[in-house]
């Protein structure tokens, strides 16, 4: 947490976070246009932000893309609001609002650290017994590239030839296509037909889980959800859904109990 406060203390680094809040997934060259300083100086600021987990990076060919990660801000808010609610609520709420507002970039990237092992996290992502606890969904597959995934949610069983595993490298990387928006799924999820039709008309998206060992006894999980159009309804929905879902996953692995499902 000290690293986060130190990273936020510099106005140039806050300006970089503001830039990523407006347009996520920028290259170093694009971010240099925000600051009147050398490329090397901007790169140093980005390294500090990455070390504090305030940003994450992905690769697009030879380019390195920088993404805003709101998890440390949420952790600060939860800790300090709960302990000093009367004195700090308004200031921290404003900070949280600035950094967590949905960004116009179409990709969604979220990173969190979990006190577990890569093997246990992999099991939590692929075992239907685990996913049912924190997600309310059972994912059934042999988890081989090209294999279909069956989604079971409430009373709906969702199958589709395009609902498949794209990558599986246990316990490091998992990628699959998102589920089909069937009428049965919508009924079970309480989604009206107008919203279901809008979701069904969008291109099928893809989610990727990258698992890396972090500090002793913890792993870093990066979730990247891609394939959205600029006006995607699903992109707006998952930007709220993934943080809550991953918080429940983290709580389950660290305490044995998931968060209550809304």
């Amino acid at each position: 947490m000290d690293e986060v406060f130190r990273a936020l203390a510099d106005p140039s680094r806050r300006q970089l976070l503001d830039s990523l809040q407006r347009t996520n997934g920028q290259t170093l060259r694009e971010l240099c246009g925000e600051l009147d300083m050398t490329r090397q100086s901007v790169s140093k600021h980005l390294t500090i932000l990455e070390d504090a987990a305030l940003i994450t990076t992905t690769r697009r060919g030879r380019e390195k893309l920088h993404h805003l990660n709101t998890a440390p801000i949420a952790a600060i808010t939860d800790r300090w609001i709960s302990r000093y609610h009367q004195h700090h609520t308004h200031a921290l709420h404003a900070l949280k609002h600035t950094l967590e507002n949905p960004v116009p970039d179409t990709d969604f990237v979220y990173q969190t650290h979990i006190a577990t092992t890569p093997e246990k996290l992999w099991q939590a992502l692929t075992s239907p017994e685990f996913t049912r606890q924190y997600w309310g969904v059972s994912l059934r597959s042999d988890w081989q590239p090209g294999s279909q995934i069956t989604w079971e949610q409430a009373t709906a069983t969702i199958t589709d030839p395009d609902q498949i595993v794209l990558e599986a490298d246990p316990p490091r990387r998992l990628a699959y296509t998102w589920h089909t928006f069937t009428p049965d799924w919508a009924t079970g999820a309480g989604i009206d037909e107008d919203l279901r039709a809008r979701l069904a008309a969008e291109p099928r998206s893809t989610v990727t889980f990258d698992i890396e060992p972090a500090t002793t006894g913890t792993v870093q999980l990066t979730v990247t959800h891609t394939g959205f159009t600029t006006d995607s309804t699903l992109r707006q929905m998952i930007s709220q859904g993934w943080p809550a879902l991953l918080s429940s996953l983290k709580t389950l692995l660290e305490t044995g109990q998931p968060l209550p499902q809304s």
Side-chain angles (χ1 to χ4, degrees):
M1 189 171 291
D2 289 342
E3 289 184 347
V4 177
F5 281 117
R6 283 194 291 268
L8 292 172
D10 186 273
S12 296
R13 291 194 284 274
R14 293 198 300 271
Q15 189 173 347
L16 287 169
L17 293 176
D18 286 341
S19 179
L20 291 174
Q21 189 272 330
R22 293 190 298 270
T23 306
N24 218 5
Q26 295 187 60
T27 63
L28 174 59
R29 176 182 56 80
E30 292 169 331
L31 288 167
C32 284
E34 294 285 329
L35 297 173
D36 185 19
M37 60 177 62
T38 66
R39 182 185 181 94
Q40 183 178 12
S41 296
V42 174
S43 182
K44 289 181 178 179
H45 282 306
L46 290 172
T47 298
I48 293 171
L49 291 171
E50 188 171 1
D51 288 344
L54 286 164
I55 65 171
T56 60
T57 60
T58 58
R59 287 283 180 180
R60 185 180 62 194
R62 294 185 177 181
E63 292 184 316
K64 186 177 183 180
L65 305 181
H66 300 81
H67 306 268
L68 179 66
N69 181 38
T70 62
I73 301 299
I76 289 174
T77 303
D78 292 342
R79 173 177 175 179
W80 290 87
I81 284 182
S82 63
R83 293 181 62 186
Y84 303 105
H85 179 78
Q86 294 299 322
H87 298 288
H88 298 282
T89 297
H90 297 299
L92 289 173
H93 178 75
L95 174 62
K96 184 173 185 288
H97 175 77
T98 298
L99 293 177
E100 290 192 340
N101 273 343
V103 294
D105 179 68
T106 56
D107 290 352
F108 175 86
V109 181
Y110 192 91
Q111 187 178 88
T112 186
H113 289 75
I114 305 175
T116 188
T117 65
E119 291 76 15
K120 288 181 180 178
L121 179 51
W122 179 271
Q123 183 183 18
L125 294 173
T126 58
S127 165
E129 290 74 25
F130 260 101
T131 58
R132 174 68 68 178
Q133 292 183 69
Y134 66 87
W135 198 342
V137 175
S138 292
L139 302 179
R140 301 189 183 276
S141 176
D142 63 11
W143 300 108
Q144 298 299 311
S147 294
Q148 290 190 34
I149 305 173
T150 298
W151 293 60
E152 298 175 357
Q153 183 172 358
T155 59
T157 298
I158 311 165
T159 60
D160 191 283
D162 293 326
Q163 218 168 261
I164 61 171
V165 180
L166 298 174
E167 295 182 63
D169 180 19
R172 291 178 287 272
R173 185 176 175 87
L174 175 67
Y176 52 78
T177 55
W178 204 238
H179 69 81
T180 306
F181 299 103
T182 65
D184 285 346
W185 166 81
T187 299
I191 301 295
D192 63 44
E193 177 56 24
D194 179 66
L195 176 54
R196 187 204 70 81
R198 294 205 308 272
L199 293 170
E202 296 185 7
R204 189 182 297 272
S205 60
T206 298
V207 62
T208 302
F209 304 87
D210 287 299
I211 302 169
E212 301 176 70
T215 56
T216 303
T218 68
V219 295
Q220 175 180 287
L221 172 64
T222 303
V223 177
T224 307
H225 202 148
T226 63
F228 303 109
T229 57
T230 55
D231 57 350
S232 169
T233 298
L234 179 60
R235 172 64 176 80
Q236 298 175 19
M237 293 173 66
I238 61 98
S239 68
Q240 303 298 318
W242 272 122
L245 175 62
L246 295 172
S247 293
S248 188
L249 167 61
K250 175 180 171 70
T251 302
L252 174 61
L253 286 171
E254 293 182 346
T255 70
Q257 294 293 328
L259 296 175
Q261 293 183 22
S262 58

